[in-house]
């Protein structure tokens, strides 16, 4: 018995007398495994992992000639819960900001700390940032070639000050990594990127206090429209050549928030945007 066209699932249409799957159904044929290529030459599960990064709350980093500053918005999965950590200490000269799945970030941070400890034990000196970011990117990339593991659903901004100077690196779920003067990732990060591009020329000569203020002003554009930048939901990390990693949050951050409020020039946040109703797994 032939059913009428109205009885067919919405995923199908009639074209030239044949039942043809819609583009969405064709896409689902190639995203069941991370090792399966689509006809367009894409690994869809790797792209889905990149979407998890875009859903995470924003974090950013910027560099001067001497310092690296990381700043992040902390997210609370529930009104009764505490805020999740967004900046993680790896070593005295290395910190990472994360956007994406918190559990994946913890796993990678543990690996990075182990690598730093092993390097210090064997060579007696701190690990160079470029070597560590390459190792982490390789760990990301291996998950895109093995069907038994899914890609890490987290993006990282790694700030480091080593013997070669201050550096800021970004790692992606695909295994790619890049070095930046300033960068922002996560939900509504475009507003922060616009601010960083506008004031990028001031960063090289800025001192640590000026860098912290720039980071907070850029981050203010990433806050949801119904919320505001506060000491409770913001954290900052500062690393210098003669300064070990310092985390600034809660009451210690309030004087900087008061200062930027008086100065003004803060970007306006975009209405809505990805990540407004983020999953409890994401940070």
């Amino acid at each position: 018995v032939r059913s009428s066209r109205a009885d067919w699932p919405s995923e199908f249409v009639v074209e030239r007398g044949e039942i043809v799957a819609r583009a969405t159904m064709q896409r689902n044929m190639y995203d069941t495994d991370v090792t399966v290529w689509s006809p367009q030459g894409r690994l869809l599960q790797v792209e889905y992992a990149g979407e998890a990064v875009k859903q995470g709350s924003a974090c950013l980093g910027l560099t001067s000639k001497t310092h690296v500053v990381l700043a992040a918005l902390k997210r609370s999965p529930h009104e009764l819960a505490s805020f999740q950590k967004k900046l993680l200490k790896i070593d005295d000269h290395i910190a990472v900001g994360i956007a994406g799945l918190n559990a994946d970030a913890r796993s990678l941070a543990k690996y990075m700390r182990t690598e730093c400890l092993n390097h210090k034990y064997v060579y007696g000196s701190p690990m160079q940032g470029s070597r560590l970011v390459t190792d982490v990117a390789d760990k990301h990339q291996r998950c895109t070639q093995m069907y038994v593991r899914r890609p890490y659903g987290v993006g990282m901004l790694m700030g480091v000050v080593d013997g070669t100077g201050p550096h800021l690196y970004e790692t992606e779920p695909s295994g790619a990594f890049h070095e930046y003067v300033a960068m922002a990732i996560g939900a509504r990060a475009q507003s922060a990127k616009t601010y960083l591009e506008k004031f990028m020329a001031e960063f090289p000569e800025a001192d640590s206090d000026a860098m912290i203020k720039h980071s907070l002003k850029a981050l203010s554009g990433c806050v949801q429209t119904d919320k505001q930048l506060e000491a409770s939901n913001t954290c900052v990390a500062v690393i210098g050549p003669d300064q070990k990693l310092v985390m600034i949050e809660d009451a210690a951050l309030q004087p900087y928030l008061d200062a930027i409020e008086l100065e003004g020039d803060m970007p306006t946040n975009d209405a809505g945007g990805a990540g407004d109703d983020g999953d409890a797994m994401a940070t």
Side-chain angles (χ1 to χ4, degrees):
V1 179
R2 295 186 60 184
S3 61
S4 65
R5 179 175 177 177
D7 296 330
W8 292 344
S10 60
E11 289 81 12
F12 296 92
V13 294
V14 173
E15 183 175 303
R16 297 180 183 177
E18 297 180 353
I19 298 177
V20 181
R22 289 181 185 268
T24 54
M25 188 127 187
Q26 292 179 350
R27 181 183 179 93
N28 291 339
M29 294 170 59
Y30 302 101
D31 67 356
T32 57
D33 198 294
V34 70
T35 60
V36 177
W37 292 95
S38 74
Q40 292 77 30
R42 299 158 63 186
L43 293 173
L44 296 178
Q45 282 205 8
V46 177
E47 294 183 14
Y48 295 161
E51 291 299 318
V53 177
K54 296 178 183 178
Q55 294 293 328
S57 55
C59 67
L60 59 87
L62 55 158
T63 62
S64 68
K65 289 183 177 180
T66 56
H67 290 76
V68 174
V69 173
L70 298 175
L73 282 174
K74 295 186 287 186
R75 174 180 288 171
S76 174
H78 192 272
E79 292 181 0
L80 300 177
S82 62
F83 288 97
Q84 296 175 323
K85 288 187 176 182
K86 285 296 301 285
L87 299 180
L88 306 176
K89 178 181 178 179
I90 304 301
D91 203 345
D92 289 338
H93 66 300
I94 301 176
V96 294
I98 59 175
L101 300 184
N102 192 35
D104 287 7
R106 288 200 315 269
S107 176
L108 288 172
K110 182 179 180 180
Y111 166 78
M112 296 168 74
R113 293 183 185 116
T114 301
E115 290 298 300
C116 287
L117 286 172
N118 289 340
H119 187 279
K120 189 174 294 185
Y121 177 78
V122 174
Y123 299 102
S125 61
M127 191 172 190
Q128 191 166 314
S130 59
R131 180 174 178 179
L132 180 60
V133 73
T134 302
D135 291 343
V136 174
D138 288 344
K139 195 173 180 66
H140 275 289
Q141 195 276 336
R142 282 194 291 272
C143 292
T144 68
Q145 288 186 295
M146 301 168 59
Y147 71 93
V148 295
R149 300 192 67 180
R150 65 165 175 79
Y152 288 99
V154 63
M156 288 186 168
L157 289 177
M158 188 178 84
V160 54
V161 177
D162 55 25
T164 62
H167 301 279
L168 177 68
Y169 301 98
E170 179 201 8
T171 65
E172 301 175 1
S174 64
F177 70 93
H178 311 277
E179 184 174 1
Y180 292 93
V181 173
M183 183 58 180
I185 59 176
R188 297 171 295 278
Q190 185 56 50
S191 177
K193 291 179 185 178
T194 301
Y195 178 92
L196 294 173
E197 290 172 0
K198 181 178 179 180
F199 293 96
M200 185 175 63
E202 300 180 13
F203 298 162
E205 304 299 331
D207 58 17
S208 59
D209 285 346
M211 296 281 283
I212 293 172
K213 291 178 183 178
H214 276 302
S215 67
L216 293 175
K217 288 180 180 179
L219 198 62
S220 65
C222 305
V223 184
Q224 297 178 24
T225 53
D226 59 339
K227 297 182 180 179
Q228 59 183 355
L229 203 65
E230 299 174 344
S232 59
N233 66 359
T234 312
C235 53
V236 174
V238 183
I239 314 173
D242 301 318
Q243 175 185 5
K244 293 183 178 181
L245 171 64
V246 175
M247 294 284 188
I248 306 174
E249 51 190 345
D250 299 328
L253 192 62
Q254 190 60 49
Y256 294 100
L257 293 173
D258 295 338
I260 65 171
E261 187 175 358
L262 292 174
E263 293 177 7
D265 297 330
M266 292 190 293
T268 56
N269 52 354
D270 300 328
D276 286 347
D277 299 316
D279 190 275
M281 293 177 64
T283 81

